[in-house]
């Protein structure tokens, strides 16, 4: 069966930032209560507009520890009162994800891979909708394998592409393939690039990001428990990816871009390259170097947020 293409959010896209965050599910309006199970939150048990109504920036990343550290970092950057070491995990009632609120910023972990982040995104978008949030920008902060880039380079995603280098995400729904566009907001991407130029602290590029279903075979690694291809075939595939504009590889960007686009949310993906995949598969940099690399997307998004808020940067 031919896939069903859902390419955009319609002609009203230019007006979405003037509205509350939208969901694309008419059945939610008929529910007496919406339980956000994986967040341990609900519309009857929590006052979501009071708790989250002032959120303007949502930052998500794979690691729970990294997103807690980012929340503490943002607490300091925004010069908020209180001890950043004492910020509380809003999702402490579950062990699936962590969530921290610091002023207008929400920091959330999403685990690894499309299934994990997609569950989180469903409940996050519903949370923002129930909280009546307006004019929200979402960021995915992460690590990746670079394609023809030096380690430490930050990639701002132009388009999230699949294994065929197409800007689309395929979701099987009731046995049918639904195909959604994965184009991200060009304005936010350009604004981030300008912020990086002003920071002038690390190399940053805009390029396509390839999203795969796993870390090993799907990314053409030769060091997994299984390998059904040669070194030459790996390099040939990476060369085709590079020619298609791919500059890094990770495992969450397509569903992130697709879901944000369908719901009319401005979003960006910012990942640092930990290695150049043309030169190897294993991550061999020291712990201290990797920690500094992982802080680069955080520093860039922090600068963006402070600039948007009119704070001294």
């Amino acid at each position: 069966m031919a896939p069903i293409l859902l390419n955009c959010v319609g002609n009203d896209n230019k007006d979405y930032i003037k509205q509350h965050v939208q969901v694309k599910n008419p059945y939610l309006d008929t529910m007496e209560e919406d339980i956000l199970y994986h967040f341990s939150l609900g519309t009857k048990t929590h006052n979501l507009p009071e708790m989250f109504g002032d959120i303007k920036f949502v930052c998500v990343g794979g690691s729970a520890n990294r997103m807690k550290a980012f929340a503490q970092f943002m607490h300091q950057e925004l010069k908020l009162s209180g001890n950043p070491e004492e910020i509380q995990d809003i999702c402490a009632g579950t062990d699936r994800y962590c969530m921290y609120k610091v002023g207008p910023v929400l920091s959330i972990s999403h685990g690894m891979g499309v299934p994990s982040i997609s569950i989180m995104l469903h409940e996050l978008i519903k949370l923002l909708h129930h909280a009546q949030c307006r004019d929200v920008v979402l960021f995915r902060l992460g690590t990746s394998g670079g394609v023809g880039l030096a380690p430490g380079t930050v990639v701002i995603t132009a388009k999230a592409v699949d294994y065929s280098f197409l800007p689309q995400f395929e979701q099987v729904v009731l046995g049918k393939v639904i195909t959604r566009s994965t184009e991200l907001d060009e304005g936010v991407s350009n604004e981030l690039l300008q912020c990086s130029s002003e920071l002038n602290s690390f190399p940053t590029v805009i390029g396509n990001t390839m999203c795969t279903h796993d870390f090993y075979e799907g990314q053409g690694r030769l060091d997994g428990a299984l390998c059904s291809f040669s070194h030459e075939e790996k390099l040939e595939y990476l060369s085709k990816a590079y020619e298609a504009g791919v500059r890094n590889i990770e495992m969450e960007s397509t569903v992130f871009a697709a879901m944000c686009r369908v719901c009319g949310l401005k979003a960006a993906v910012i990942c640092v390259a930990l290695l150049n995949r043309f030169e190897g598969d294993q991550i061999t940099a020291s712990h201290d170097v990797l920690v500094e690399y992982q802080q680069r997307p955080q520093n860039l998004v922090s600068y963006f947020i402070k600039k948007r808020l009119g704070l001294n940067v």
Side-chain angles (χ1 to χ4, degrees):
M1 179 177 293
I4 302 169
L5 181 62
L6 301 176
N7 192 46
C8 64
V9 296
N11 295 328
D12 295 328
N13 190 46
K14 63 181 181 300
D15 297 323
Y16 66 75
I17 64 171
K18 301 176 184 176
Q19 306 169 353
H20 291 142
V21 171
Q22 301 297 304
V23 291
K24 300 296 180 179
N25 180 0
Y27 291 101
L28 289 179
D29 292 335
T30 68
M31 297 168 56
E32 292 185 6
E33 179 182 13
D34 190 6
I35 299 172
L36 308 179
Y37 172 72
H38 300 90
F39 287 167
S40 192
L41 296 170
T43 54
K44 279 192 173 181
T45 55
H46 299 80
N47 187 336
L48 300 180
E50 182 178 289
M51 294 174 66
F52 301 101
D54 63 339
I55 290 297
K56 295 297 181 184
F57 309 97
V58 179
C59 303
V60 306
S63 164
N65 288 338
R66 191 185 308 156
M67 297 318 293
K68 180 179 181 179
F70 176 71
Q72 293 170 334
F73 171 62
M74 285 307 306
H75 189 284
Q76 296 172 328
E77 291 291 287
L78 298 177
K79 296 180 171 57
L80 301 177
S81 61
N83 185 351
E85 298 297 324
E86 296 177 356
I87 60 173
Q88 298 297 310
D89 181 3
I90 299 171
C91 294
T94 175
D95 61 356
R96 296 296 182 185
Y97 306 106
C98 73
M99 178 189 296
Y100 301 92
K101 183 179 184 298
V102 283
V105 179
L106 203 58
S107 179
I108 311 174
S109 67
H110 60 60
M112 284 197 295
V114 163
S116 183
I117 193 175
S118 68
I119 294 168
M120 187 280 295
L121 285 169
H122 275 280
E123 299 190 13
L124 169 62
I125 293 169
K126 291 197 298 176
L127 170 64
L128 297 174
H129 172 71
H130 292 313
Q132 301 173 20
C133 295
R134 296 173 180 265
D135 196 10
V136 182
V137 183
L138 274 67
F139 304 94
R140 181 181 119 64
L141 313 176
T143 58
S144 63
V147 180
L149 298 178
T153 303
V154 171
V155 180
I156 302 166
T157 302
K159 296 178 182 179
V161 300
D162 63 11
Y163 62 92
S164 298
F165 319 132
L166 297 175
Q168 64 183 26
F169 173 68
E170 293 184 343
Q171 174 75 51
V172 178
V173 180
L174 302 180
K176 299 177 182 179
V177 178
I178 304 294
T179 303
R180 296 183 170 119
S181 170
T182 57
E183 293 188 31
L184 290 154
D185 188 273
E186 186 176 355
V188 174
S189 296
N190 289 334
E191 193 173 342
L192 283 163
L193 188 64
Q194 176 61 33
C195 287
S196 178
S197 177
E198 293 170 11
L199 275 172
N200 195 29
S201 299
F202 41 79
T204 305
V205 300
I206 292 181
N208 293 343
T209 297
M210 183 168 69
C211 180
T212 66
H213 292 300
D214 81 308
F215 185 79
Y216 287 97
E217 287 188 294
Q219 296 188 12
R221 278 186 156 86
L222 302 170
D223 60 340
L226 306 175
C227 185
S228 58
F229 48 87
S230 67
H231 181 258
E232 290 73 22
E233 288 172 319
K234 165 201 163 178
L235 293 180
E236 180 183 1
Y237 182 67
L238 291 179
S239 295
K240 289 180 179 178
Y242 187 88
E243 291 169 3
V246 172
R247 294 297 178 265
N248 64 332
I249 307 172
E250 46 85 271
M251 298 185 288
E252 294 89 14
S253 58
T254 51
V255 69
F256 176 81
M259 290 185 65
C260 289
R261 183 173 176 81
V262 169
C263 292
L265 287 162
K266 288 192 173 185
V269 178
I270 310 99
C271 293
V272 66
L274 299 183
L275 74 165
N276 182 355
R277 289 296 318 287
F278 280 111
E279 298 177 356
D281 296 329
Q282 298 209 329
I283 300 167
T284 58
S286 70
H287 172 75
D288 290 344
V289 168
L290 291 176
V291 168
E292 194 276 323
Y293 283 172
Q294 292 170 21
Q295 290 172 343
R296 292 181 177 186
Q298 298 181 14
N299 290 332
L300 178 54
V301 170
S302 169
Y303 187 96
F304 177 101
I305 291 172
K306 289 188 294 182
K307 190 174 179 181
R308 278 283 185 100
L309 294 174
L311 303 176
N312 293 329
V313 292

